[in-house]
Amino acid sequence: MLLTQVLVPLTLFGQSPLGPPPQTCPPNEVINYISTCPKHPHIIPAPGCTAKASTIRLPWAVGSLCHRTGDKEYCVYMLPNFNDGKGISLVTTSSVICSVSTLPHHDKWWSTPNTANTPDLLEVKPIEGKGLGVVAANRTIRKNTRVMVDAPGLMIEHGAFTKLRTEMLADLIHEAASMLPYPSREDFFALSGAEGLLRNSKESALAIVGKNAFHTKIEDIEFHAVFLDVSRVNHACSPNAAYHFDPLTMRKSLITVRDIHPGEELTIGYVDLTQPSQTRQASLSHWNFTCSCPRCTQASRRQKESDDRTAQLVNIRNELDQYDHGVEDGPGMAELLTILYELEGLEARLHETYYRTAIEFNGIGNKWEAIKFARLCLERGLLLKDETRPFVSEMKALIEDAEGHWSWRFRLGVGHQD
């Protein structure tokens, strides 16, 4: 995700490095295939669920290595046609592959193109003190622009992390990365986190996952996923972009939250940014760097003011989230909360403040102000989150019937009665 000083061939938007690619194994275009590669022996319709084979149209390549712990056997499964032939490898069990393969929206995963990835919009280049990063290429990118849509290249079921010994986990992750089609395999091993380790080794594969994986879910199954493009984007404590993962399409989108000028780096937040500066820096030690963004490198008096604002932000947020007692001026507190988020450069989370403001205005019986902020919440929130989030249904319900919403005049002690 960060901090590689080695210049490598850049394939952020799918262009292959110069030179002939090595043979892809197994080949993407073959379905019923007996591999000549000793590590990738066969492709099957769906392991462990032949009774449902008629519902499964995508073949999984199965690796030669499995590790068992208790009643779970973790193996490597690779879908070569996923994401326009970039492929995806999963470290999981056959029962999970069966479950995933038969989901109603399974076909959307591999058929959804990465249409937001425009080669002339972004570029990867060295960033002073950070290694490689992603910058705006040759024109200003306006806020609320979806600049990248990325699919995972490698996913490891959470149980493999918690149940397998480290050497077993490294074996499976290395095989999963090695089975990816070219150039995805090269893109994976070019990610940061393995500096000083032998390239393409088990140790480097494990280290790369440790530094670049995002927590995701498919249905109720937890995974650690490495996204080969989004993982290039560096951290800042006042980021100018945000991301979200859509489990229906298996895509993570990157959206700008401020205007970004040519040559300016795109950044996202790796940790909870409503923590004081020292706590944020301690959290970032996992990635072995100290944040040098403007929010973290202010003069001492301004840094103290920033930490004071952050502390007030958290206190107000916690106070407003207590719905069982009154507050003196809920709408005023909520609007101050919005200002504090903006002063700290947390535009990616403004929908949270609009939600609280809508609830507080409805809580005192001012439905038109409540509806206004509910609209603002949805406008921001649906850009950055998917429609399954609880705040979406809450705000839609408030807009449709503010006086029938649970929050109507609740701060006055005379809330809605069924």
Side-chain angles (χ1 to χ4, degrees), residues 129 160 223 264 406:
F223 286 91
E264 183 179 355
W406 65 264

Side-chain angles (χ1 to χ4, degrees), residues 125-289:
K125 62 186 298 184
I127 306 295
E128 184 178 357
K130 296 183 179 181
L132 297 177
V134 179
V135 303
N138 53 19
R139 66 177 185 266
T140 298
I141 305 173
R142 298 302 178 189
K143 72 175 182 178
N144 301 338
T145 299
R146 195 178 303 272
V147 293
M148 188 185 294
V149 179
D150 194 13
L154 194 150
M155 300 181 71
I156 304 99
E157 188 183 343
H158 180 67
F161 273 95
T162 59
K163 296 176 181 178
L164 292 175
R165 297 198 307 269
T166 301
E167 60 269 22
M168 291 181 174
L169 183 64
D171 282 343
L172 293 172
I173 290 175
H174 181 259
E175 173 150 302
S178 299
M179 285 178 65
L180 287 171
Y182 182 91
S184 297
R185 179 173 62 252
E186 297 302 306
D187 287 346
F188 174 84
F189 282 109
L191 292 174
S192 66
E195 292 75 16
L197 298 174
L198 180 65
R199 186 182 171 91
N200 295 2
S201 65
K202 295 178 183 179
E203 293 77 13
S204 65
L206 182 63
I208 287 169
V209 168
K211 297 297 183 184
N212 293 277
F214 292 82
H215 181 266
T216 58
K217 277 189 175 183
I218 304 176
E219 300 295 298
D220 293 326
I221 306 169
E222 296 185 19
F223 286 91
H224 299 267
V226 176
F227 294 79
L228 302 182
D229 289 352
V230 170
S231 291
R232 291 287 190 198
V233 182
N234 289 326
H235 165 87
C237 288
S238 53
N240 55 25
Y243 60 86
H244 84 272
F245 177 70
D246 182 356
L248 295 182
T249 63
M250 289 284 288
R251 298 303 194 270
K252 186 180 286 291
S253 296
L254 187 71
I255 303 103
T256 59
V257 297
R258 295 195 291 274
D259 289 351
I260 302 175
H261 302 291
E264 183 179 355
E265 184 184 12
L266 275 75
T267 55
I268 57 178
Y270 292 1
V271 298
D272 180 3
L273 303 179
T274 62
Q275 303 174 107
S277 56
Q278 288 189 349
T279 306
R280 296 196 306 270
Q281 297 288 11
S283 299
L284 290 167
S285 63
H286 169 76
W287 289 275
N288 298 320
F289 75 95

